[in-house]
């Protein structure tokens, strides 16, 4: 084949879609990055150097993508560095597509579609998708992914400016604005690309809509006609979503796998009480959604401090919304006493958690020098305003 121009990303990617490029990628399915130099040297004897470089780069991206897309999809899909970083995790995209399907949505305009992660999940629910992205390479990769996964009949990919896209023919819109710039994460919603205000206006034109936003969005920035949902996967908060055409002014937390969904009911903050036998650490989505009161009610618990999102209770109750620990000791903050206690109990595996403390976990671990066969968890926090150490173990 002819020389691949490694300065032209579109040409390099197009080369990967040729018969030679696909065969080369298939041969790298089990490639070991630690042996990249030897692998590159061997492959360059039979293939153009630029094609080998592009294939190795794609093989690395596919390996990174396994965590988000699973091995079966990742080995067939194509990626860009930003695409891997910014794409929605498969479990989250699948859950959201299920919500769209339950609303009776038949077609969606997926604006700022990236490499197609959400479009793929929607299409797998039988929903037709218009996937729009203004970056030519990203749009080409999304089209290749639709073809690779056998979804091309349901996914139309368009390289265009989303602000100029006519969404009138669609039951719903999904908008995932870019929240990263040249200097990293963007925290101001109006600095998103496109701005959140534009996305909200676009959402209000259709019967249903979902806008993907950063989990740290201030609650006062949430429109009254939107439902706000925070989603965590495996205990990690992944995103927040503004839903339109569902339940206005509702706050919710959804935990995956499951899903387990907790809905806000406007409960007052729980009262502060003495530390009981059990301490519950609410899931991050529950905290972000300001639903600690709802979780505490289910546990018949209270707070250890009015400013700290730890729930305490005397009874152990199963819940998907918080992790339970049995507390064995409550100490005023004192490193010498903690070190002596851990030494006496032979604690060598120490998990350090903090909330409301300026002490860093690694700093504490370095100072107490845990040693021994046993394990413990220490919480650096405040109890009724006082710096406190709670020692315990998973319940």
């Amino acid at each position: 084949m002819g020389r691949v121009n490694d300065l032209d990303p579109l040409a390099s990617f197009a080369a990967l879609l040729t018969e030679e490029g696909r065969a080369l990628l298939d041969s790298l399915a089990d490639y070991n990055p630690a042996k990249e130099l030897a692998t590159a040297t061997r492959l360059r004897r039979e293939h153009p150097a630029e094609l080998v470089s592009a294939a190795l780069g794609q093989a690395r991206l596919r390996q990174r993508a396994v965590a988000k897309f699973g091995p079966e999809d990742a080995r067939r899909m194509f990626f860009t560095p930003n695409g891997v970083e910014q794409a929605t995790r498969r479990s989250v995209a699948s859950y959201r597509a299920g919500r769209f399907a339950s609303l009776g949505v038949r077609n969606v305009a997926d604006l700022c579609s990236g490499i197609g992660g959400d479009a793929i999940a929607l299409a797998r629910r039988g929903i037709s998708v218009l996937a729009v992205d203004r970056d030519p390479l990203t749009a080409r990769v999304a089209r290749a992914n639709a073809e690779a996964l056998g979804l091309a009949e349901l996914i139309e990919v368009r390289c265009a400016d989303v602000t100029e896209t006519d969404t009138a023919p669609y039951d719903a819109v999904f908008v995932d604005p870019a929240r990263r710039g040249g200097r990293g994460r963007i925290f101001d919603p109006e600095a998103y690309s496109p701005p959140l205000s534009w996305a909200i206006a676009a959402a209000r034109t259709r019967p249903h809509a979902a806008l993907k936003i950063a989990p740290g969005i201030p609650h006062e920035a949430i429109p009254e006609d939107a439902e706000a949902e925070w989603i965590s996967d495996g205990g990690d908060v992944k995103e927040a979503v503004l839903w339109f055409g569902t339940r206005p002014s509702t706050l919710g937390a959804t935990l995956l796998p499951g899903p387990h969904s907790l809905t806000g009911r406007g409960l007052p903050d729980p009262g502060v009480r003495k530390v009981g036998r059990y301490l519950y650490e609410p899931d991050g989505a529950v905290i972000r959604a300001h639903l600690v009161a709802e979780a505490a009610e289910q546990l018949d618990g209270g707070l250890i401090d009015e400013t700290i999102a730890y729930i305490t209770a005397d009874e152990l109750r199963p819940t998907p919304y918080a992790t339970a620990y049995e507390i064995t000791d409550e100490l005023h903050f004192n490193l010498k006493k903690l070190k002596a206690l851990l030494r006496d109990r032979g604690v060598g595996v120490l998990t350090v958690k903090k909330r409301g403390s300026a002490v860093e976990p690694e700093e504490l671990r370095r100072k107490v020098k845990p040693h021994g066969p046993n394990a413990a968890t220490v919480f650096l926090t405040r109890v009724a305003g006082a710096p406190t150490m709670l020692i315990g173990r998973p319940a």
Side-chain angles (χ1 to χ4, degrees):
M1 64 174 288
R3 179 181 176 84
V4 177
N5 182 0
D6 61 351
L7 297 179
D8 182 350
L10 276 171
S12 293
F13 182 70
L16 291 176
L17 302 180
T18 63
E19 184 176 348
E20 181 182 8
R22 290 178 184 274
L24 183 54
L25 267 178
D26 288 344
S27 74
L28 292 171
D30 300 317
Y31 131 89
N32 183 353
K35 299 180 179 179
E36 180 167 316
L37 181 58
T39 301
T41 301
R42 173 174 56 80
L43 293 176
R44 283 170 182 161
R45 298 187 187 119
E46 302 175 4
H47 306 280
E50 294 86 351
L51 178 60
V52 171
S53 178
L56 287 171
Q58 191 62 223
R60 288 193 298 271
L61 291 174
R62 283 181 168 182
Q63 290 185 349
R64 284 175 54 193
V66 168
K68 281 192 173 182
F69 290 90
E72 185 176 345
D73 280 354
R75 68 178 176 81
R76 292 188 289 166
M77 291 174 66
F78 298 90
F79 302 95
T80 65
N82 285 341
V84 172
E85 180 73 23
Q86 298 173 14
T88 303
R89 183 178 291 265
R90 177 178 173 174
S91 55
V92 177
S94 178
Y95 162 74
R96 180 164 41 244
R99 280 206 65 177
F100 270 121
S102 70
L103 293 169
V105 169
R106 297 162 300 172
N107 46 58
V108 173
D110 178 3
L111 308 180
C112 309
S113 59
I115 61 170
D118 281 281
I120 290 165
L122 289 163
R124 282 175 166 164
R125 290 280 182 166
I127 297 172
S128 297
V129 185
L130 170 66
V132 184
D133 200 284
R134 68 181 180 184
D135 178 68
L137 175 60
T138 301
R140 185 66 190 91
V141 171
R143 189 174 296 113
N145 286 334
E147 295 167 355
L149 298 178
L151 300 169
E153 290 188 2
L154 285 169
I155 301 176
E156 175 194 348
V157 179
R158 186 180 300 172
C159 182
D161 186 333
V162 298
T163 64
E164 299 175 359
T165 300
D166 180 14
T167 62
Y170 298 90
D171 297 337
V173 296
F174 171 62
V175 189
D176 182 5
R179 296 181 301 281
R180 286 182 179 273
R183 297 183 179 180
R185 290 182 186 273
I186 297 172
F187 296 99
D188 178 6
E190 284 308 294
Y192 292 174
S193 180
L196 181 59
S197 57
W198 179 90
I200 290 172
R204 288 170 173 158
T205 67
R206 310 312 313 136
H208 299 289
L211 313 182
K212 182 176 172 180
I213 55 177
I217 186 171
H219 279 227
E220 55 268 26
I222 299 170
E224 290 186 0
D225 57 338
E227 169 194 348
E229 178 184 33
W230 282 260
I231 303 173
S232 71
D233 187 15
D236 294 329
V237 183
K238 295 301 179 184
E239 62 184 58
V241 183
L242 298 182
W243 289 93
F244 292 80
T246 53
R247 301 175 296 176
S249 300
T250 299
L251 302 178
T254 296
L255 283 54
L256 303 175
H260 304 284
S261 294
L262 185 65
T263 301
R265 293 184 287 114
L267 298 180
D269 291 341
V272 176
R273 64 172 68 173
K274 291 182 179 180
V275 177
R277 182 174 179 181
Y278 297 99
L279 186 77
Y280 291 86
E281 181 181 26
D283 184 273
V286 172
I287 295 173
R288 294 279 194 176
H290 295 181
L291 300 183
V292 173
E294 282 73 6
E297 182 185 61
Q298 291 187 5
L299 298 167
D300 190 23
L303 300 180
I304 64 171
D305 184 279
E306 63 181 7
T307 64
I308 304 295
Y310 281 138
I311 300 168
T312 186
D314 294 318
E315 180 184 344
L316 180 62
R317 294 186 180 183
T319 175
Y321 304 114
T323 302
Y325 296 85
E326 184 175 11
I327 298 303
T328 57
D329 300 89
E330 178 181 351
L331 305 173
H332 290 297
F333 186 83
N334 186 304
L335 288 180
K336 287 185 178 180
K337 288 185 178 180
L338 177 62
K339 185 174 182 178
L341 184 148
L342 297 176
R343 183 182 63 245
D344 291 345
R345 296 185 184 172
V347 173
V349 180
L350 183 65
T351 300
V352 183
K353 293 177 172 286
K354 57 170 280 186
R355 187 162 291 160
S357 172
V359 179
E360 293 300 326
E362 284 306 317
E363 177 188 356
L364 180 135
R365 195 177 285 108
R366 186 174 60 253
K367 288 183 177 179
V368 300
K369 301 176 183 177
H371 180 73
N374 300 320
T377 300
V378 59
F379 295 86
L380 305 177
T381 187
R382 291 194 305 273
V383 173
T388 303
M389 301 181 296
L390 302 176
I391 297 90
R393 52 182 172 262

